Amino acid sequence: MDFININNLNAIMAEMTDFCNAACPMCNRYDWDLNLEPGVTNTNHTTLDFVKTRIGPKVISQLNAWSCQGTYGDASMNPEAIGIFQYLKKHSPNIKIGVNTNGGARSPDFWATLGEMGVNVCFAIDGLEDTNHLYRRNVKWDKLMKNIKAYMSAGGRPSWEFLIFKHNQHQVNAARQLSKDLGFKDFSHAFSERWSDYNASGEYRDITSLQVDDYVIEKPTTQESDYVRDVAGVKMDKKSIKDDKDDFLTREVSCWACRKQKREIYLRANGYVSPCCTLGDVEKHEPKNIIDDYKKINLNHTDLAEILDGKYFKTLHRGILGGKERLKSCYNYCGV
């Protein structure tokens, strides 16, 4: 199967911005002392001009999906978000645009416009009025509800995604019922995978609690099987993953970014391009071991066709097929 290239590319997962209104304590935006990471936060927006000139109408006309994830920012914070979405639809009328958001920024008019445009919105709401703000700090419940209702009143059918902690695990069923009462099309829940993670210096931590302001957030007291995120029908249960399997270097990885019907890239707001968000932290995670020139994977400096045909993507592809260049991230997340 051909790997991702400029001719078969049909989906982009775009950060859109590294600004965010919330202050979620386990977000990649923060170091372990809850200080904002300099350089990768509150610095970049993907501009409309960038979309026009660095991606361009030809590539956009090929796209059937543009999704806005929130690794470093919330797409609603991009001042040109609506203009960018309008441009995407102009050149690819049937494109599916998706936004993952905490829902606490902008005005109801903004969200109503997204509803009118048919943008698919997934609201990350971690609890009810008395608990959501404990993780989604700075998100005001009243404003969140007004934004949701404005989006729905304009024809939007949102999803609700619930991260489970000890302080909200007793509210899962109540939140699911509220989602039905409000008119959400679906409800999902999972526990955060960031209790075990690396910081910007590559240091690993595995914790069960975290001091936040004047309170502590904790892991759920039980890790129920249905708390594990379900990705494309596959349970992502990290307990079952072993790095020393005999097939680590031999079997082909089932890459989620490169499949029969999809060729996707992940685009950071600062211009870095990777196949997926799992490899998106190119400065601190495994990709740094196979990147020798960061300008050659940055869309601000290098054309997209050249990036996709460059050393970074070719090395990743060889590793996916099997061999010494394989990344543990590819093997552990996507599997073989």
mmCIF file of all heavy atoms in Angstrom, residues 260-297:
data_model
loop_
_atom_site.group_PDB
_atom_site.id
_atom_site.type_symbol
_atom_site.label_atom_id
_atom_site.label_comp_id
_atom_site.label_asym_id
_atom_site.label_seq_id
_atom_site.Cartn_x
_atom_site.Cartn_y
_atom_site.Cartn_z
ATOM 1 N N LYS A 260 -6.946 1.904 3.818
ATOM 2 C CA LYS A 260 -7.485 1.740 2.472
ATOM 3 C C LYS A 260 -8.230 2.977 1.992
ATOM 4 O O LYS A 260 -8.079 3.401 0.847
ATOM 5 C CB LYS A 260 -8.408 0.516 2.433
ATOM 6 C CG LYS A 260 -8.916 0.172 1.046
ATOM 7 C CD LYS A 260 -9.742 -1.100 1.062
ATOM 8 C CE LYS A 260 -10.231 -1.455 -0.328
ATOM 9 N NZ LYS A 260 -11.043 -2.708 -0.341
ATOM 10 N N GLN A 261 -9.047 3.567 2.878
ATOM 11 C CA GLN A 261 -9.871 4.703 2.478
ATOM 12 C C GLN A 261 -9.360 6.038 3.013
ATOM 13 O O GLN A 261 -10.017 7.060 2.827
ATOM 14 C CB GLN A 261 -11.313 4.489 2.968
ATOM 15 C CG GLN A 261 -11.968 3.218 2.457
ATOM 16 C CD GLN A 261 -12.110 3.199 0.960
ATOM 17 O OE1 GLN A 261 -12.233 4.238 0.324
ATOM 18 N NE2 GLN A 261 -12.089 2.003 0.367
ATOM 19 N N LYS A 262 -8.196 6.025 3.696
ATOM 20 C CA LYS A 262 -7.742 7.278 4.322
ATOM 21 C C LYS A 262 -6.237 7.440 4.220
ATOM 22 O O LYS A 262 -5.479 6.508 4.466
ATOM 23 C CB LYS A 262 -8.159 7.317 5.793
ATOM 24 C CG LYS A 262 -7.751 8.602 6.519
ATOM 25 C CD LYS A 262 -8.316 8.676 7.930
ATOM 26 C CE LYS A 262 -7.535 7.810 8.896
ATOM 27 N NZ LYS A 262 -7.942 8.061 10.298
ATOM 28 N N ARG A 263 -5.811 8.648 3.861
ATOM 29 C CA ARG A 263 -4.417 9.068 3.958
ATOM 30 C C ARG A 263 -4.448 10.426 4.668
ATOM 31 O O ARG A 263 -4.893 11.420 4.096
ATOM 32 C CB ARG A 263 -3.756 9.207 2.588
ATOM 33 C CG ARG A 263 -3.729 7.950 1.751
ATOM 34 C CD ARG A 263 -2.794 6.889 2.331
ATOM 35 N NE ARG A 263 -2.532 5.825 1.375
ATOM 36 C CZ ARG A 263 -3.366 4.847 1.080
ATOM 37 N NH1 ARG A 263 -4.549 4.803 1.676
ATOM 38 N NH2 ARG A 263 -3.051 3.909 0.196
ATOM 39 N N GLU A 264 -3.979 10.445 5.885
ATOM 40 C CA GLU A 264 -4.151 11.632 6.743
ATOM 41 C C GLU A 264 -2.812 12.153 7.244
ATOM 42 O O GLU A 264 -1.874 11.386 7.460
ATOM 43 C CB GLU A 264 -5.033 11.270 7.940
ATOM 44 C CG GLU A 264 -5.354 12.435 8.864
ATOM 45 C CD GLU A 264 -6.311 12.032 9.971
ATOM 46 O OE1 GLU A 264 -5.961 11.107 10.748
ATOM 47 O OE2 GLU A 264 -7.401 12.621 10.057
ATOM 48 N N ILE A 265 -2.736 13.465 7.441
ATOM 49 C CA ILE A 265 -1.600 14.071 8.120
ATOM 50 C C ILE A 265 -2.093 14.878 9.312
ATOM 51 O O ILE A 265 -3.265 15.279 9.380
ATOM 52 C CB ILE A 265 -0.768 14.993 7.202
ATOM 53 C CG1 ILE A 265 -1.637 16.126 6.633
ATOM 54 C CG2 ILE A 265 -0.071 14.185 6.115
ATOM 55 C CD1 ILE A 265 -0.847 17.207 5.925
ATOM 56 N N TYR A 266 -1.182 15.083 10.253
ATOM 57 C CA TYR A 266 -1.442 15.915 11.424
ATOM 58 C C TYR A 266 -0.629 17.188 11.264
ATOM 59 O O TYR A 266 0.595 17.142 11.072
ATOM 60 C CB TYR A 266 -1.032 15.157 12.677
ATOM 61 C CG TYR A 266 -1.004 15.983 13.956
ATOM 62 C CD1 TYR A 266 -2.177 16.436 14.539
ATOM 63 C CD2 TYR A 266 0.208 16.283 14.577
ATOM 64 C CE1 TYR A 266 -2.138 17.175 15.714
ATOM 65 C CE2 TYR A 266 0.242 17.006 15.749
ATOM 66 C CZ TYR A 266 -0.929 17.459 16.318
ATOM 67 O OH TYR A 266 -0.895 18.192 17.476
ATOM 68 N N LEU A 267 -1.295 18.340 11.329
ATOM 69 C CA LEU A 267 -0.667 19.636 11.115
ATOM 70 C C LEU A 267 -0.725 20.469 12.387
ATOM 71 O O LEU A 267 -1.808 20.827 12.845
ATOM 72 C CB LEU A 267 -1.367 20.374 9.963
ATOM 73 C CG LEU A 267 -0.929 21.811 9.686
ATOM 74 C CD1 LEU A 267 0.541 21.872 9.272
ATOM 75 C CD2 LEU A 267 -1.816 22.434 8.611
ATOM 76 N N ARG A 268 0.435 20.754 12.953
ATOM 77 C CA ARG A 268 0.507 21.606 14.139
ATOM 78 C C ARG A 268 0.324 23.068 13.746
ATOM 79 O O ARG A 268 0.563 23.470 12.608
ATOM 80 C CB ARG A 268 1.880 21.437 14.815
ATOM 81 C CG ARG A 268 2.109 20.118 15.520
ATOM 82 C CD ARG A 268 1.906 20.221 17.015
ATOM 83 N NE ARG A 268 2.800 21.150 17.665
ATOM 84 C CZ ARG A 268 4.030 20.854 18.103
ATOM 85 N NH1 ARG A 268 4.537 19.643 17.930
ATOM 86 N NH2 ARG A 268 4.761 21.770 18.716
ATOM 87 N N ALA A 269 -0.086 23.893 14.699
ATOM 88 C CA ALA A 269 -0.268 25.318 14.429
ATOM 89 C C ALA A 269 1.057 26.012 14.127
ATOM 90 O O ALA A 269 1.077 27.077 13.503
ATOM 91 C CB ALA A 269 -0.956 25.992 15.619
ATOM 92 N N ASN A 270 2.172 25.421 14.560
ATOM 93 C CA ASN A 270 3.482 25.994 14.265
ATOM 94 C C ASN A 270 4.065 25.459 12.954
ATOM 95 O O ASN A 270 5.209 25.756 12.615
ATOM 96 C CB ASN A 270 4.457 25.752 15.418
ATOM 97 C CG ASN A 270 4.682 24.277 15.709
ATOM 98 O OD1 ASN A 270 4.258 23.411 14.962
ATOM 99 N ND2 ASN A 270 5.349 24.000 16.818
ATOM 100 N N GLY A 271 3.287 24.641 12.225
ATOM 101 C CA GLY A 271 3.690 24.215 10.897
ATOM 102 C C GLY A 271 4.235 22.815 10.779
ATOM 103 O O GLY A 271 4.412 22.316 9.663
ATOM 104 N N TYR A 272 4.534 22.144 11.893
ATOM 105 C CA TYR A 272 5.089 20.793 11.813
ATOM 106 C C TYR A 272 4.066 19.803 11.255
ATOM 107 O O TYR A 272 2.883 19.851 11.610
ATOM 108 C CB TYR A 272 5.564 20.315 13.177
ATOM 109 C CG TYR A 272 6.864 20.949 13.635
ATOM 110 C CD1 TYR A 272 6.991 21.472 14.920
ATOM 111 C CD2 TYR A 272 7.961 21.020 12.788
ATOM 112 C CE1 TYR A 272 8.181 22.058 15.355
ATOM 113 C CE2 TYR A 272 9.149 21.611 13.200
ATOM 114 C CZ TYR A 272 9.257 22.121 14.481
ATOM 115 O OH TYR A 272 10.433 22.698 14.893
ATOM 116 N N VAL A 273 4.533 18.904 10.415
ATOM 117 C CA VAL A 273 3.670 17.910 9.770
ATOM 118 C C VAL A 273 4.135 16.512 10.158
ATOM 119 O O VAL A 273 5.322 16.185 10.054
ATOM 120 C CB VAL A 273 3.712 18.049 8.231
ATOM 121 C CG1 VAL A 273 2.869 16.962 7.572
ATOM 122 C CG2 VAL A 273 3.222 19.430 7.812
ATOM 123 N N SER A 274 3.195 15.685 10.613
ATOM 124 C CA SER A 274 3.436 14.282 10.931
ATOM 125 C C SER A 274 2.253 13.474 10.415
ATOM 126 O O SER A 274 1.218 14.046 10.064
ATOM 127 C CB SER A 274 3.588 14.065 12.441
ATOM 128 O OG SER A 274 4.884 14.390 12.884
ATOM 129 N N PRO A 275 2.351 12.150 10.392
ATOM 130 C CA PRO A 275 1.192 11.367 9.968
ATOM 131 C C PRO A 275 0.038 11.424 10.962
ATOM 132 O O PRO A 275 -1.109 11.265 10.574
ATOM 133 C CB PRO A 275 1.748 9.940 9.858
ATOM 134 C CG PRO A 275 3.210 10.102 9.724
ATOM 135 C CD PRO A 275 3.547 11.307 10.536
ATOM 136 N N CYS A 276 0.327 11.624 12.263
ATOM 137 C CA CYS A 276 -0.748 11.569 13.254
ATOM 138 C C CYS A 276 -0.354 12.336 14.502
ATOM 139 O O CYS A 276 0.818 12.689 14.695
ATOM 140 C CB CYS A 276 -1.066 10.112 13.622
ATOM 141 S SG CYS A 276 0.285 9.283 14.476
ATOM 142 N N CYS A 277 -1.328 12.578 15.377
ATOM 143 C CA CYS A 277 -1.059 13.348 16.592
ATOM 144 C C CYS A 277 -0.208 12.566 17.591
ATOM 145 O O CYS A 277 0.471 13.162 18.431
ATOM 146 C CB CYS A 277 -2.366 13.804 17.244
ATOM 147 S SG CYS A 277 -3.470 12.466 17.755
ATOM 148 N N THR A 278 -0.225 11.226 17.516
ATOM 149 C CA THR A 278 0.622 10.432 18.401
ATOM 150 C C THR A 278 2.093 10.736 18.156
ATOM 151 O O THR A 278 2.909 10.723 19.085
ATOM 152 C CB THR A 278 0.365 8.924 18.185
ATOM 153 O OG1 THR A 278 -1.020 8.663 18.426
ATOM 154 C CG2 THR A 278 1.202 8.083 19.124
ATOM 155 N N LEU A 279 2.443 11.030 16.912
ATOM 156 C CA LEU A 279 3.813 11.395 16.559
ATOM 157 C C LEU A 279 4.001 12.908 16.472
ATOM 158 O O LEU A 279 5.062 13.378 16.069
ATOM 159 C CB LEU A 279 4.188 10.772 15.209
ATOM 160 C CG LEU A 279 4.099 9.250 15.111
ATOM 161 C CD1 LEU A 279 4.410 8.800 13.683
ATOM 162 C CD2 LEU A 279 5.043 8.583 16.094
ATOM 163 N N GLY A 280 2.982 13.659 16.865
ATOM 164 C CA GLY A 280 2.990 15.103 16.653
ATOM 165 C C GLY A 280 3.946 15.886 17.519
ATOM 166 O O GLY A 280 4.377 16.980 17.153
ATOM 167 N N ASP A 281 4.304 15.347 18.684
ATOM 168 C CA ASP A 281 5.267 16.031 19.560
ATOM 169 C C ASP A 281 6.677 15.741 19.061
ATOM 170 O O ASP A 281 7.466 15.048 19.700
ATOM 171 C CB ASP A 281 5.104 15.554 21.008
ATOM 172 C CG ASP A 281 3.824 16.063 21.632
ATOM 173 O OD1 ASP A 281 3.486 17.229 21.398
ATOM 174 O OD2 ASP A 281 3.163 15.294 22.348
ATOM 175 N N VAL A 282 6.997 16.309 17.910
ATOM 176 C CA VAL A 282 8.251 15.961 17.233
ATOM 177 C C VAL A 282 9.486 16.455 17.977
ATOM 178 O O VAL A 282 10.587 15.949 17.750
ATOM 179 C CB VAL A 282 8.266 16.512 15.783
ATOM 180 C CG1 VAL A 282 7.219 15.811 14.936
ATOM 181 C CG2 VAL A 282 8.039 18.025 15.774
ATOM 182 N N GLU A 283 9.303 17.424 18.874
ATOM 183 C CA GLU A 283 10.456 17.969 19.587
ATOM 184 C C GLU A 283 10.858 17.125 20.788
ATOM 185 O O GLU A 283 12.002 17.176 21.224
ATOM 186 C CB GLU A 283 10.175 19.399 20.078
ATOM 187 C CG GLU A 283 9.620 20.349 19.034
ATOM 188 C CD GLU A 283 8.101 20.472 19.135
ATOM 189 O OE1 GLU A 283 7.436 19.423 19.339
ATOM 190 O OE2 GLU A 283 7.597 21.596 19.022
ATOM 191 N N LYS A 284 9.906 16.336 21.358
ATOM 192 C CA LYS A 284 10.205 15.674 22.630
ATOM 193 C C LYS A 284 9.964 14.173 22.638
ATOM 194 O O LYS A 284 10.501 13.479 23.498
ATOM 195 C CB LYS A 284 9.414 16.324 23.763
ATOM 196 C CG LYS A 284 7.897 16.195 23.671
ATOM 197 C CD LYS A 284 7.232 16.877 24.860
ATOM 198 C CE LYS A 284 5.718 16.756 24.816
ATOM 199 N NZ LYS A 284 5.060 17.385 25.976
ATOM 200 N N HIS A 285 9.180 13.655 21.704
ATOM 201 C CA HIS A 285 8.911 12.226 21.698
ATOM 202 C C HIS A 285 9.772 11.526 20.637
ATOM 203 O O HIS A 285 10.672 12.123 20.053
ATOM 204 C CB HIS A 285 7.428 11.959 21.485
ATOM 205 C CG HIS A 285 6.602 12.262 22.708
ATOM 206 N ND1 HIS A 285 5.241 12.243 22.720
ATOM 207 C CD2 HIS A 285 6.970 12.592 23.982
ATOM 208 C CE1 HIS A 285 4.784 12.555 23.932
ATOM 209 N NE2 HIS A 285 5.820 12.761 24.705
ATOM 210 N N GLU A 286 9.486 10.276 20.384
ATOM 211 C CA GLU A 286 10.328 9.442 19.518
ATOM 212 C C GLU A 286 10.704 10.039 18.171
ATOM 213 O O GLU A 286 11.819 9.811 17.694
ATOM 214 C CB GLU A 286 9.638 8.099 19.290
ATOM 215 C CG GLU A 286 9.958 7.046 20.307
ATOM 216 C CD GLU A 286 9.489 5.684 19.845
ATOM 217 O OE1 GLU A 286 8.264 5.521 19.665
ATOM 218 O OE2 GLU A 286 10.330 4.800 19.660
ATOM 219 N N PRO A 287 9.840 10.785 17.503
ATOM 220 C CA PRO A 287 10.236 11.318 16.194
ATOM 221 C C PRO A 287 11.549 12.098 16.215
ATOM 222 O O PRO A 287 12.245 12.151 15.194
ATOM 223 C CB PRO A 287 9.048 12.219 15.815
ATOM 224 C CG PRO A 287 7.882 11.558 16.461
ATOM 225 C CD PRO A 287 8.413 11.068 17.792
ATOM 226 N N LYS A 288 11.904 12.699 17.343
ATOM 227 C CA LYS A 288 13.144 13.478 17.395
ATOM 228 C C LYS A 288 14.370 12.615 17.078
ATOM 229 O O LYS A 288 15.409 13.142 16.678
ATOM 230 C CB LYS A 288 13.302 14.146 18.765
ATOM 231 C CG LYS A 288 13.578 13.207 19.917
ATOM 232 C CD LYS A 288 13.684 13.961 21.237
ATOM 233 C CE LYS A 288 13.977 13.005 22.393
ATOM 234 N NZ LYS A 288 14.053 13.731 23.687
ATOM 235 N N ASN A 289 14.227 11.299 17.244
ATOM 236 C CA ASN A 289 15.354 10.403 16.975
ATOM 237 C C ASN A 289 15.590 10.169 15.490
ATOM 238 O O ASN A 289 16.647 9.662 15.106
ATOM 239 C CB ASN A 289 15.134 9.059 17.674
ATOM 240 C CG ASN A 289 15.043 9.192 19.181
ATOM 241 O OD1 ASN A 289 15.718 10.013 19.789
ATOM 242 N ND2 ASN A 289 14.191 8.374 19.801
ATOM 243 N N ILE A 290 14.616 10.519 14.662
ATOM 244 C CA ILE A 290 14.767 10.281 13.219
ATOM 245 C C ILE A 290 14.637 11.565 12.406
ATOM 246 O O ILE A 290 14.542 11.526 11.177
ATOM 247 C CB ILE A 290 13.755 9.228 12.708
ATOM 248 C CG1 ILE A 290 12.316 9.684 12.938
ATOM 249 C CG2 ILE A 290 13.992 7.878 13.372
ATOM 250 C CD1 ILE A 290 11.279 8.765 12.298
ATOM 251 N N ILE A 291 14.632 12.714 13.075
ATOM 252 C CA ILE A 291 14.543 14.010 12.386
ATOM 253 C C ILE A 291 15.889 14.712 12.508
ATOM 254 O O ILE A 291 16.380 14.949 13.616
ATOM 255 C CB ILE A 291 13.436 14.890 12.995
ATOM 256 C CG1 ILE A 291 12.061 14.242 12.794
ATOM 257 C CG2 ILE A 291 13.450 16.288 12.346
ATOM 258 C CD1 ILE A 291 10.942 14.932 13.553
ATOM 259 N N ASP A 292 16.481 15.060 11.384
ATOM 260 C CA ASP A 292 17.768 15.754 11.427
ATOM 261 C C ASP A 292 17.661 17.222 11.007
ATOM 262 O O ASP A 292 18.612 17.985 11.185
ATOM 263 C CB ASP A 292 18.822 15.041 10.570
ATOM 264 C CG ASP A 292 18.364 14.801 9.137
ATOM 265 O OD1 ASP A 292 17.370 15.438 8.724
ATOM 266 O OD2 ASP A 292 18.995 13.980 8.446
ATOM 267 N N ASP A 293 16.518 17.621 10.449
ATOM 268 C CA ASP A 293 16.328 19.015 10.048
ATOM 269 C C ASP A 293 14.841 19.347 10.205
ATOM 270 O O ASP A 293 14.016 18.926 9.390
ATOM 271 C CB ASP A 293 16.777 19.223 8.605
ATOM 272 C CG ASP A 293 16.747 20.693 8.182
ATOM 273 O OD1 ASP A 293 16.091 21.499 8.882
ATOM 274 O OD2 ASP A 293 17.354 21.030 7.149
ATOM 275 N N TYR A 294 14.506 20.096 11.250
ATOM 276 C CA TYR A 294 13.100 20.380 11.550
ATOM 277 C C TYR A 294 12.444 21.277 10.500
ATOM 278 O O TYR A 294 11.237 21.232 10.323
ATOM 279 C CB TYR A 294 12.969 20.983 12.950
ATOM 280 C CG TYR A 294 12.993 19.934 14.038
ATOM 281 C CD1 TYR A 294 14.192 19.528 14.621
ATOM 282 C CD2 TYR A 294 11.829 19.328 14.471
ATOM 283 C CE1 TYR A 294 14.213 18.544 15.609
ATOM 284 C CE2 TYR A 294 11.833 18.356 15.456
ATOM 285 C CZ TYR A 294 13.030 17.964 16.016
ATOM 286 O OH TYR A 294 13.044 16.986 16.977
ATOM 287 N N LYS A 295 13.233 22.083 9.800
ATOM 288 C CA LYS A 295 12.643 22.927 8.761
ATOM 289 C C LYS A 295 12.074 22.081 7.621
ATOM 290 O O LYS A 295 11.132 22.493 6.945
ATOM 291 C CB LYS A 295 13.677 23.909 8.223
ATOM 292 C CG LYS A 295 13.978 25.072 9.161
ATOM 293 C CD LYS A 295 14.873 26.100 8.497
ATOM 294 C CE LYS A 295 15.085 27.300 9.416
ATOM 295 N NZ LYS A 295 15.958 28.328 8.778
ATOM 296 N N LYS A 296 12.640 20.877 7.432
ATOM 297 C CA LYS A 296 12.196 20.028 6.330
ATOM 298 C C LYS A 296 10.880 19.320 6.616
ATOM 299 O O LYS A 296 10.325 18.673 5.723
ATOM 300 C CB LYS A 296 13.287 19.012 5.990
ATOM 301 C CG LYS A 296 14.502 19.651 5.331
ATOM 302 C CD LYS A 296 15.526 18.608 4.924
ATOM 303 C CE LYS A 296 16.709 19.261 4.225
ATOM 304 N NZ LYS A 296 17.741 18.265 3.828
ATOM 305 N N ILE A 297 10.376 19.434 7.852
ATOM 306 C CA ILE A 297 9.046 18.875 8.153
ATOM 307 C C ILE A 297 8.085 19.982 8.594
ATOM 308 O O ILE A 297 7.032 19.700 9.148
ATOM 309 C CB ILE A 297 9.122 17.775 9.225
ATOM 310 C CG1 ILE A 297 9.564 18.347 10.580
ATOM 311 C CG2 ILE A 297 10.029 16.639 8.792
ATOM 312 C CD1 ILE A 297 9.250 17.447 11.755
#
